[in-house]
Amino acid sequence: MATMRLEIVTAERMVYSEEVDMLVAPGIDGQLGILPNHAPLLTALQPGEIRVDKEGEENYMAVSGGFLEVLANRVTILADTAERAEEIDIERAEAAVRRAEERIAVGTSDADLQRAVFSLRRSQARLLAARRRRPRRDRGGAPQQPS
Ligand code: ATP
Protein backbone atom coordinates (compact mmCIF):
# COMPACT_ATOMS: atom_id res chain seq x y z
CA MET A 1 0.00 0.00 0.00
CA ALA A 2 1.22 3.51 -0.80
CA THR A 3 2.44 5.61 2.10
CA MET A 4 3.59 9.21 2.54
CA ARG A 5 6.08 10.93 4.80
CA LEU A 6 4.62 12.95 7.66
CA GLU A 7 6.74 15.37 9.64
CA ILE A 8 5.32 17.45 12.46
CA VAL A 9 7.74 20.06 13.74
CA THR A 10 7.62 23.02 16.09
CA ALA A 11 10.23 25.73 16.56
CA GLU A 12 11.56 23.63 19.45
CA ARG A 13 11.52 20.03 18.27
CA MET A 14 10.58 17.30 15.84
CA VAL A 15 7.33 15.89 17.23
CA TYR A 16 6.68 13.14 14.69
CA SER A 17 8.41 11.78 11.62
CA GLU A 18 7.03 8.58 10.07
CA GLU A 19 5.77 6.93 6.91
CA VAL A 20 1.98 6.93 7.27
CA ASP A 21 -1.10 5.70 5.41
CA MET A 22 -3.48 8.56 6.10
CA LEU A 23 -3.81 11.81 8.00
CA VAL A 24 -6.72 13.92 9.19
CA ALA A 25 -5.84 17.46 10.30
CA PRO A 26 -7.83 20.49 11.50
CA GLY A 27 -7.58 22.83 8.51
CA ILE A 28 -8.64 26.41 9.00
CA ASP A 29 -11.73 25.72 6.85
CA GLY A 30 -12.52 22.30 8.32
CA GLN A 31 -11.18 18.77 8.62
CA LEU A 32 -8.66 17.80 5.95
CA GLY A 33 -8.16 14.16 4.99
CA ILE A 34 -4.89 13.47 3.20
CA LEU A 35 -3.93 10.26 1.44
CA PRO A 36 -0.63 9.39 -0.28
CA ASN A 37 0.09 11.22 -3.55
CA HIS A 38 -2.16 14.11 -2.63
CA ALA A 39 -1.95 17.22 -4.84
CA PRO A 40 0.28 20.05 -3.57
CA LEU A 41 -1.41 22.06 -0.84
CA LEU A 42 -0.62 24.79 1.65
CA THR A 43 -3.10 25.66 4.37
CA ALA A 44 -3.29 27.12 7.85
CA LEU A 45 -4.38 24.95 10.77
CA GLN A 46 -6.64 25.70 13.71
CA PRO A 47 -6.38 24.17 17.19
CA GLY A 48 -7.52 20.55 17.09
CA GLU A 49 -6.43 16.97 16.90
CA ILE A 50 -4.44 15.24 14.22
CA ARG A 51 -5.25 11.62 13.47
CA VAL A 52 -2.61 9.51 11.80
CA ASP A 53 -3.23 6.02 10.45
CA LYS A 54 -0.14 3.86 10.24
CA GLU A 55 -0.04 0.12 9.71
CA GLY A 56 -3.62 -0.33 10.92
CA GLU A 57 -3.14 1.79 14.05
CA GLU A 58 -4.62 5.18 14.78
CA ASN A 59 -2.42 7.73 16.53
CA TYR A 60 -3.57 11.06 17.84
CA MET A 61 -1.80 14.34 18.41
CA ALA A 62 -2.86 17.81 19.47
CA VAL A 63 -1.90 20.88 17.48
CA SER A 64 -2.57 24.48 18.46
CA GLY A 65 -2.27 25.98 14.98
CA GLY A 66 0.33 26.46 12.28
CA PHE A 67 0.67 25.43 8.67
CA LEU A 68 0.37 22.23 6.70
CA GLU A 69 2.12 21.72 3.39
CA VAL A 70 1.79 18.78 1.00
CA LEU A 71 4.51 18.49 -1.60
CA ALA A 72 5.93 15.48 -3.45
CA ASN A 73 4.21 12.90 -1.22
CA ARG A 74 5.52 14.57 1.92
CA VAL A 75 3.33 16.32 4.47
CA THR A 76 5.02 18.89 6.67
CA ILE A 77 3.19 20.41 9.60
CA LEU A 78 4.90 23.44 11.08
CA ALA A 79 3.01 23.77 14.33
CA ASP A 80 2.86 26.49 16.98
CA THR A 81 2.76 23.68 19.51
CA ALA A 82 2.12 19.96 19.03
CA GLU A 83 2.10 17.00 21.37
CA ARG A 84 1.62 13.29 20.87
CA ALA A 85 -1.38 11.95 22.83
CA GLU A 86 0.88 10.10 25.28
CA GLU A 87 2.87 13.27 26.05
CA ILE A 88 -0.14 15.29 27.08
CA ASP A 89 -0.53 16.11 30.76
CA ILE A 90 -4.29 15.85 31.21
CA GLU A 91 -4.40 17.63 34.57
CA ARG A 92 -2.45 20.55 33.15
CA ALA A 93 -4.83 20.80 30.18
CA GLU A 94 -7.87 20.58 32.49
CA ALA A 95 -6.45 23.37 34.65
CA ALA A 96 -5.83 25.47 31.51
CA VAL A 97 -9.46 24.89 30.43
CA ARG A 98 -10.70 26.05 33.83
CA ARG A 99 -8.50 29.14 33.78
CA ALA A 100 -9.63 30.08 30.28
CA GLU A 101 -13.31 29.52 31.14
CA GLU A 102 -12.98 31.72 34.21
CA ARG A 103 -11.36 34.48 32.18
CA ILE A 104 -14.11 34.25 29.57
CA ALA A 105 -16.85 34.32 32.23
CA VAL A 106 -15.38 37.38 33.95
CA GLY A 107 -15.33 39.25 30.64
CA THR A 108 -12.32 41.41 29.88
CA SER A 109 -10.98 43.43 26.96
CA ASP A 110 -11.36 42.03 23.44
CA ALA A 111 -7.69 41.09 23.26
CA ASP A 112 -7.81 39.21 26.57
CA LEU A 113 -11.02 37.50 25.54
CA GLN A 114 -9.46 36.36 22.28
CA ARG A 115 -6.43 35.01 24.14
CA ALA A 116 -8.68 33.14 26.55
CA VAL A 117 -10.73 31.64 23.71
CA PHE A 118 -7.57 30.40 21.96
CA SER A 119 -6.20 29.05 25.21
CA LEU A 120 -9.50 27.20 25.71
CA ARG A 121 -9.37 25.73 22.20
CA ARG A 122 -5.72 24.63 22.61
CA SER A 123 -6.47 22.93 25.91
CA GLN A 124 -9.64 21.29 24.62
CA ALA A 125 -7.70 19.92 21.64
CA ARG A 126 -5.13 18.45 24.07
CA LEU A 127 -7.85 16.80 26.13
CA LEU A 128 -9.51 15.38 23.03
CA ALA A 129 -6.27 13.87 21.73
CA ALA A 130 -5.13 12.61 25.14
CA ARG A 131 -8.42 10.88 25.90
CA ARG A 132 -8.48 9.11 22.55
CA ARG A 133 -5.81 6.70 23.59
CA ARG A 134 -7.42 5.51 26.84
CA PRO A 135 -10.40 3.61 25.38
CA ARG A 136 -8.18 1.90 22.83
CA ARG A 137 -5.90 0.57 25.53
CA ASP A 138 -8.83 -0.44 27.73
CA ARG A 139 -10.59 -2.16 24.84
CA GLY A 140 -7.52 -4.29 24.33
CA GLY A 141 -8.01 -6.04 27.70
CA ALA A 142 -5.26 -8.40 28.80
CA PRO A 143 -2.12 -8.55 26.65
CA GLN A 144 -2.44 -11.22 23.97
CA GLN A 145 -0.42 -14.38 24.39
CA PRO A 146 1.50 -15.58 21.36
CA SER A 147 -0.34 -18.57 19.84
P1 ATP B 1 -0.50 26.13 30.00
O1 ATP B 1 -1.32 27.30 30.47
O2 ATP B 1 -0.81 24.84 30.73
O3 ATP B 1 0.99 26.44 29.93
P2 ATP B 1 -0.76 26.77 27.24
O4 ATP B 1 -1.88 26.46 26.29
O5 ATP B 1 -0.57 28.20 27.60
O6 ATP B 1 -0.97 25.84 28.50
P3 ATP B 1 1.25 26.62 25.26
O7 ATP B 1 1.79 28.02 25.35
O8 ATP B 1 0.30 26.32 24.14
O9 ATP B 1 0.59 26.22 26.66
O10 ATP B 1 2.45 25.58 25.21
C1 ATP B 1 3.67 25.78 25.89
C2 ATP B 1 4.48 24.49 25.85
O11 ATP B 1 3.91 23.54 26.75
C3 ATP B 1 4.48 23.82 24.47
O12 ATP B 1 5.74 23.20 24.29
C4 ATP B 1 3.39 22.76 24.58
O13 ATP B 1 3.68 21.66 23.73
C5 ATP B 1 3.48 22.37 26.05
N1 ATP B 1 2.18 22.01 26.66
C6 ATP B 1 1.16 22.84 26.91
N2 ATP B 1 0.16 22.20 27.56
C7 ATP B 1 0.56 20.90 27.67
C8 ATP B 1 -0.03 19.73 28.24
N3 ATP B 1 -1.25 19.74 28.80
N4 ATP B 1 0.69 18.58 28.21
C9 ATP B 1 1.92 18.55 27.66
N5 ATP B 1 2.53 19.62 27.11
C10 ATP B 1 1.86 20.79 27.12
Side-chain angles (χ1 to χ4, degrees), residues 57-101:
E57 277 217 358
E58 292 165 17
N59 292 288
Y60 290 90
M61 277 157 272
V63 65
S64 63
F67 292 92
L68 177 152
E69 180 195 55
V70 187
L71 196 62
N73 208 33
R74 173 184 286 265
V75 181
T76 308
I77 293 178
L78 186 56
D80 298 331
T81 66
E83 305 89 31
R84 292 168 176 252
E86 64 271 20
E87 295 173 333
I88 293 168
D89 178 337
I90 291 184
E91 282 176 17
R92 177 175 166 183
E94 284 173 343
V97 165
R98 281 196 299 275
R99 273 198 311 277
E101 283 175 344

Side-chain angles (χ1 to χ4, degrees), residues 38-68:
H38 193 284
L41 172 73
L42 177 61
T43 184
L45 296 175
Q46 56 176 316
E49 65 174 357
I50 295 174
R51 172 184 149 192
V52 177
D53 287 9
K54 179 182 164 66
E55 293 164 356
E57 277 217 358
E58 292 165 17
N59 292 288
Y60 290 90
M61 277 157 272
V63 65
S64 63
F67 292 92
L68 177 152

Side-chain angles (χ1 to χ4, degrees), residues 25-46:
I28 199 85
D29 296 319
Q31 293 286 89
L32 271 174
I34 297 175
L35 289 166
N37 301 310
H38 193 284
L41 172 73
L42 177 61
T43 184
L45 296 175
Q46 56 176 316

